[in-house]
């Protein structure tokens, strides 16, 4: 399943404006969901990202380290919903 391979790796990266980033490696569908979460957390505003540092490619993002747990929880809910729909 495209949702079964979500890997979140913490990297002590060069600090960008004093923020430590975490590299997120995931399938493109999950990445799109993470981008949706960022937009939702901004209240739908297309302005300055809150916790997204960089959108690297179709499988990688860098987010603020302090938001990793939030993203993990939300992605886990999303994957659970997708698995439940497939079984039902």
């Amino acid at each position: 399943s495209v949702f079964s391979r979500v890997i979140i790796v913490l990297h002590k990266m060069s600090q960008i404006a004093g923020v430590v980033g975490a590299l997120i490696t995931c399938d493109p569908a999950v990445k799109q969901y993470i981008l949706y979460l960022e937009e939702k957390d901004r209240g739908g505003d297309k302005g300055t990202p809150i916790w997204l540092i960089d959108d690297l490619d179709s499988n990688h993002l860098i987010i603020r380290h302090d938001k990793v747990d939030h993203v993990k929880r939300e992605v886990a809910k999303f994957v659970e919903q997708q698995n439940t729909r497939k079984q039902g």
Side-chain angles (χ1 to χ4, degrees):
S1 147
V2 285
F3 306 107
S4 64
R5 295 178 294 143
V6 178
I7 302 168
I8 299 179
V9 181
L10 171 64
H11 285 272
K12 292 252 180 179
M13 306 175 70
S14 58
Q15 292 192 352
I16 301 170
V19 176
V20 176
L23 175 66
I24 308 296
T25 301
C26 57
D27 292 322
V30 173
K31 180 188 163 219
Q32 289 305 309
Y33 183 72
I34 293 170
L35 293 174
Y36 161 77
L37 289 175
E38 165 68 27
E39 185 176 330
K40 186 175 119 187
D41 285 355
R42 287 191 316 249
D45 182 14
K46 297 278 187 189
T48 305
I50 296 173
W51 44 262
L52 176 67
I53 295 173
D54 202 356
D55 181 350
L56 301 173
D57 60 31
S58 63
N59 293 77
H60 299 92
L61 297 162
I62 300 174
I63 67 169
R64 287 176 37 162
H65 171 260
D66 61 340
K67 294 299 181 182
V68 168
D69 288 338
H70 167 66
V71 171
K72 279 183 173 180
R73 278 191 307 275
E74 294 300 319
V75 167
K77 287 184 210 174
F78 175 68
V79 170
E80 179 70 25
Q81 290 171 349
Q82 297 306 311
N83 289 337
T84 300
R85 286 183 186 155
K86 287 180 181 180
Q87 293 172 359

